[in-house]
Amino acid sequence: MELRLLKTFKAVAEAGSFTRAGQRVNLSQAAVSFQIKALEEEIGARLFARLKNQVVLTPVGQVLLKHAETILKAHDEARAEIARLTQSERTLLRIGTASTMISIHPLPEILSELKKHFPLLDIVVFGGTSEAIVRRILDGRLDVGLISLPVDAPMIETEPLYGDRLVAVVPPSHPLATARHVTAHHLATDALILSEKGGNRRRLIDAFFEKAGLKPRIAMELNRDEAIKKMVEHGLGISILPWLTVHREVKDGRLRAIPIRGLKQRWELGLAYRRMEVPSPAFQAFVELCRAFLGLAARRKKQMPFPAAT
């Protein structure tokens, strides 16, 4: 759910017309209609109903408008605060990310917004496991990381941004594709394609099998969720991934996601950094942008609930 779609949606809600909304946001009526249709497809419900010569919000649209106003206000406040912190000297911000999903979206958008207000800021991005990122923060090679939580390091401060339910992921042709839920035994006896060791998501999965007294058959260990999804899509095994990571492929019919009985723990993503007396303006701005963009992801996830395992 992109900010530009929410801005267009809010304009239509306030104007009561696609044409007048287009004039507000400098879009044609056709472009406004396309964006609203895209938003409705993502949410899975109608947002507007036509009434004579105007459009009015549906009950779902009324709920979304309330949240959209909050989200857009937070975004504007973050931009305003960043503008007040604009720097005049070249500095460096070193960021670690343990999430392929975040590296694709919204990290590029966050960094682009950051560079608008800190044009002299040099940015370094390191991709690796949560464990590797924490080590680099502790020894001074990184300033901040987007990693899976929790972190067992007294010198590290953490801030959760959002959590997600872990689900079993299989190709549509798999015998489990139509199951209402799967168990640890179902998963342990199949070829598993998992993320590399060193992240808390993998530790959650390993602890789940250990508690069940099972030793899973791990066929592959990969460091990219996109690679894991492709391997599963081509029938080379099954996996356990966060729901938000696979919801688009599930919607497109390329994968199936199934609740896992007994796996109650949620995977959490958040910020990690060393305690510091006076954080730099660029660091503070980056944290605020992460809160704004990834807070939106958390609200988006709530609009795409996955049925609980029984």
Side-chain angles (χ1 to χ4, degrees):
M1 192 182 300
E2 300 177 27
L3 288 173
R4 64 186 180 90
L5 300 185
L6 290 179
K7 288 178 182 178
T8 302
F9 163 72
K10 183 172 179 287
V12 175
E14 292 173 347
S17 160
F18 281 28
T19 301
R20 290 195 295 273
Q23 293 169 352
R24 290 189 181 190
V25 295
N26 295 318
L27 292 174
S28 66
Q29 180 180 349
V32 171
S33 298
F34 179 82
Q35 289 193 8
I36 296 301
K37 183 179 179 182
L39 192 55
E40 289 177 332
E41 288 179 353
E42 183 171 344
I43 290 174
R46 293 287 301 277
L47 298 173
F48 293 100
R50 294 192 176 276
L51 184 64
K52 295 183 179 179
N53 294 325
Q54 65 176 351
V55 291
V56 297
L57 288 166
T58 63
V60 172
Q62 292 172 357
V63 171
L64 180 60
L65 179 61
K66 180 177 67 174
H67 292 290
E69 288 172 340
T70 301
I71 293 165
L72 293 172
K73 181 182 177 183
H75 177 257
D76 291 343
E77 289 174 350
R79 291 192 63 175
E81 187 167 344
I82 290 169
R84 291 194 296 270
L85 297 171
T86 301
Q87 62 175 8
S88 59
E89 296 180 359
R90 184 169 294 280
T91 55
L92 175 66
L93 184 65
R94 301 161 301 173
I95 302 162
T97 174
S99 169
T100 305
M101 178 180 68
I102 296 300
S103 299
I104 296 171
H105 174 77
L107 186 58
E109 290 89 340
I110 290 172
L111 299 184
S112 175
E113 192 73 20
L114 193 62
K115 286 289 287 184
K116 289 178 185 176
H117 300 283
F118 294 86
L120 298 179
L121 177 66
D122 292 325
I123 299 172
V124 174
V125 177
F126 167 79
T129 65
S130 296
E131 191 175 74
I133 289 170
V134 169
R135 283 199 305 268
R136 286 173 177 253
I137 294 173
L138 286 171
D139 64 21
R141 287 183 288 165
L142 288 175
D143 301 304
V144 61
L146 286 160
I147 66 171
S148 56
L149 302 179
V151 172
D152 184 18
M155 293 296 295
I156 297 288
E157 295 278 1
T158 62
E159 177 182 332
L161 293 171
Y162 72 83
D164 202 0
R165 180 75 179 267
L166 292 174
V167 295
V169 182
V170 303
S173 59
H174 195 278
L176 293 174
T178 57
R180 294 183 61 184
H181 66 263
V182 296
T183 65
H185 179 76
H186 288 135
L187 298 170
T189 54
D190 211 319
L192 276 174
I193 304 173
L194 300 179
S195 57
E196 290 181 323
K197 289 182 178 290
N200 284 320
R201 185 212 302 175
R202 177 60 187 272
R203 282 196 284 273
L204 284 175
I205 294 170
D206 290 344
F208 170 64
F209 286 115
E210 185 177 345
K211 183 179 179 181
L214 296 169
K215 187 174 182 179
R217 183 159 62 95
I218 300 174
M220 302 183 198
E221 293 178 307
L222 303 173
N223 63 359
R224 295 286 182 182
D225 287 347
E226 293 301 313
I228 292 173
K229 289 188 289 186
K230 281 295 182 184
M231 293 293 185
V232 174
E233 190 177 332
H234 284 82
L236 298 173
I238 65 175
S239 189
I240 301 173
L241 291 168
W243 162 236
L244 191 57
T245 300
V246 298
H247 83 275
R248 194 170 300 279
E249 289 82 2
V250 171
K251 182 180 178 181
D252 293 343
R254 289 179 282 150
L255 294 172
R256 296 285 187 271
I258 312 159
I260 302 171
R261 176 178 283 179
L263 185 53
K264 303 296 184 184
Q265 295 92 339
R266 289 166 60 83
W267 170 74
E268 282 197 325
L269 181 134
L271 290 165
Y273 45 87
R274 285 192 65 152
R275 297 194 183 106
M276 56 189 80
E277 291 184 4
V278 183
S280 71
F283 173 89
Q284 291 176 309
F286 175 75
V287 170
E288 289 298 328
L289 283 167
C290 286
R291 289 170 182 159
F293 276 84
L294 290 164
L296 172 60
R299 289 183 282 270
R300 174 187 174 197
K301 193 192 83 66
K302 289 180 181 177
Q303 295 170 356
M304 301 181 298
F306 194 83
T310 55

